[in-house]
Amino acid sequence: MLPSSLPALTLLLALGHCLRGEHPSSNSTCRHDYCVLGAGPAGLQIGYFLSHSQRDYIILERNSGPGSFFNIYPRHRKLISINKIYTGRQNREFNLRHDWNSLLSHKPDLLFQRVSTQLYPDADDLPRYLSLFAKELDLKVQYGVDIGKIWASEDGDHGGRSYTLIDQHGLEYSCRVLLVATGLWVPEEVKFFGSELVEGYESIPVDPEEYQDQAVLILGKGNSAFETAQSILGRASRIHLYSPNPVRLAWQTHYVGDLRAVNNELLDTYQLKSLDGLVEGGLEEIAIVKYSPEKKASGKEKKGDRKDRKGRGQLYLTLADLLQENNGNGSSGITAATLPGYHNDNFSLRQPYDRVIRCLGFRFNFSIFDSSARPPCSSMARGRFPGVTAWYEGKRTPGLFVLGAAAHSRDYRTSAGGFIHGFRYMIRSVHRVLEHRYHGKTWPATKLQTTQLLSWLLKRVNEASGPYQMFGMLADVILLRGSYCEYLEEFPIQALAQLTNLSGHQVTEQGLLVLIMQYGLNRTDTLGPGRAESEWTRAWKSNFLHPVLYYYSRLPTEQDMKYRPVGWPLPRPKAIHHIIEDFLTEWDGPISHSQPLRRFLEHCLQTDLRAFYAESCFLFSLTYTEPPLFCRLGYLKKQGIVGKSKQWQPSQEEGVMADDDESRTSQEENSLPEYLSEAEPFVTSGMN
């Protein structure tokens, strides 16, 4: 009797949870402002921001704990996300540049290093960390809720759309904003003749002994393919990887989704000719067939024939147009003439295989969406992702936002938006969009005096992790206002034309600056001689990650964004400045970094941005009708920078300043605004 009552008990508990909500309208509908679908890294990250801003939300997860994808994948249990816990720095923001697994929160110790100190952690550590994150922040997660259908309808109460989700018990959840954070978990498959003979990455044995002395063909050349190959490298007799494109190495492309060095041991055995190899060819044109060559009259097998492995038979790769007849099991009707080796005795893949394994990645699950709520397929990556706008709202599905790995179509193969260390910042940007659209809160901005802009820019390029990780995608936008400016952090630059609508900030006739991190457009040998520039006058030829400033006298339009130069993240500006790439990624040199940047800002702002000691400002005030801006905003308002204590002496002797340590300490502390105290070293480096 007890087992049969469990479904009813689960439903009652779910109903009880809904009835405790703020807006229950019936016994079967749970209403919230925000529904988050999925309790993986992306779902918990947006959940934190909603919780921190005290919004009405619920996170729905079909499994019994967060991050369930990582309970299975990667199959061989080693993550390729860096967990570098020793950087020689104490700056938390800087350290996040090298921590690819932690989520963002207000708790400085809620980091992934609490569960692992390994550079490449075990996959089981990630669900443990996510559980810790959800528990310590008391996030509203409801587990065991398997959403099977989602549809949209007009919401008469709010004058817009609402989304309804129904779970396995028939319980409905209704919300006006749906945040989809389910990731990519449906295995990508390509249909061809004999594809039913292929094993999937999701179900293959992970014990290397299962592959002892077997010939293995792997379809794919991504990290899952190489991860699989590496795990059986010491047991399989030969391993071949086959896909349409050559292998892409992450250290060449700067895209972390390409092949990582931690998985690339097979490249050694390929290039050093130890039976393994890579082959290019289309997947739709191939066929996998079972074929057993006829034995010689003596009853012995032909030379080169292999014994069947556990009854699987010998698998050959051939071309579909060579088959005389297409049949379901790929076995009958197969002759030697249907194999490429019969026509070309030097065909690369002419030998039989014991196993063929599919490692083609994953795709988004569109099946749960009704036509009224289903976002279209993206044109990127063979439609594996849903199509989203530049602010990650589903195209043709207003109020439905896609977050995390599933939103990677916006920066596929160009940045890190498909990975935790990238999308955690993009999710923060989406939350700011939500705060403005639904709650009237403008994008957070720091008001700076124009003379302080140089110091703040240097602080950001040396510490900020958001633009550093989401290079080419997230940028700091500086709205110029004459003697001051408004500094907006981490705005999605593909939505720059919609800046006012998304942030609530206006662009004036003074224009704007955009600070972005980007790699050079000139392809180079990333390990060859001359791979980097060191002379600041040639900063525009930098190849590695470096800061770039764009100056616009007006906000670029959608047309400008659409027809920007090929490879450029932004339209052609009125002025542009590259800060020379730096081997240490420390852009604080007074000659190579600070001074060229200051002169660029002076050119754009048409004002002198040099910093002066109080004595110099005093002389300028006596000899010029309009002293430099630094003196007007600082010294003439009884502020300024004094280099040595003895320089206070003349003012003290004349009785202008008090001659006591307490007064001197107060003046020194107030020489810079409080919010610039951390940037003070960059102020002094900018004085020329």
Side-chain angles (χ1 to χ4, degrees), residues 442-461:
T442 58
W443 197 284
T446 302
K447 186 176 180 180
L448 300 169
Q449 294 178 355
T450 302
T451 54
Q452 296 157 348
L453 179 57
L454 172 65
S455 303
W456 197 258
L457 287 171
L458 289 171
K459 172 180 169 63
R460 288 288 293 171
V461 301

Side-chain angles (χ1 to χ4, degrees), residues 69-80 120-125 199-211 216 218 222-235 239 262-263 355 357-359 362:
F69 178 88
F70 298 97
N71 290 327
I72 305 173
Y73 305 106
R75 294 299 310 281
H76 301 91
R77 314 312 292 148
K78 178 182 283 190
L79 297 176
I80 58 174
Y120 294 107
D122 187 90
D124 292 326
D125 293 330
E199 302 174 73
Y201 170 73
E202 67 279 3
S203 59
I204 57 171
V206 294
D207 182 3
E209 297 301 328
E210 292 275 336
Y211 302 84
V216 180
I218 298 177
N223 279 292
S224 63
F226 274 87
E227 164 211 329
T228 301
Q230 185 151 310
S231 71
I232 63 176
L233 203 55
R235 291 294 178 267
I239 305 171
V262 68
N263 284 329
R355 270 191 153 107
I357 301 174
R358 164 180 42 79
C359 297
F362 300 89

Side-chain angles (χ1 to χ4, degrees), residues 41-82:
L44 295 186
Q45 185 65 87
I46 189 63
Y48 162 73
F49 289 121
L50 292 172
S51 176
H52 197 60
S53 56
Q54 299 182 334
R55 304 302 174 199
D56 174 31
Y57 77 97
I58 187 69
I59 302 174
L60 305 175
E61 169 57 47
R62 65 176 181 163
N63 292 293
S64 59
S68 56
F69 178 88
F70 298 97
N71 290 327
I72 305 173
Y73 305 106
R75 294 299 310 281
H76 301 91
R77 314 312 292 148
K78 178 182 283 190
L79 297 176
I80 58 174
S81 47
I82 293 173

Side-chain angles (χ1 to χ4, degrees), residues 22-23 30-37 46-47 49-51 53-60 140 158 163 165 173-180 399-401 403 430-440:
E22 294 182 8
H23 308 292
C30 187
R31 298 186 182 275
H32 295 277
D33 288 341
Y34 297 92
C35 290
V36 181
L37 192 57
I46 189 63
F49 289 121
L50 292 172
S51 176
S53 56
Q54 299 182 334
R55 304 302 174 199
D56 174 31
Y57 77 97
I58 187 69
I59 302 174
L60 305 175
K140 298 176 183 177
H158 296 93
Y163 289 88
L165 299 77
Y173 299 82
S174 179
C175 54
R176 62 170 176 163
V177 180
L178 175 59
L179 303 166
V180 180
L400 184 153
F401 292 79
L403 306 175
V430 171
H431 177 253
R432 289 168 176 169
V433 171
L434 298 175
E435 285 291 291
H436 176 60
R437 178 186 293 186
Y438 297 107
H439 307 287

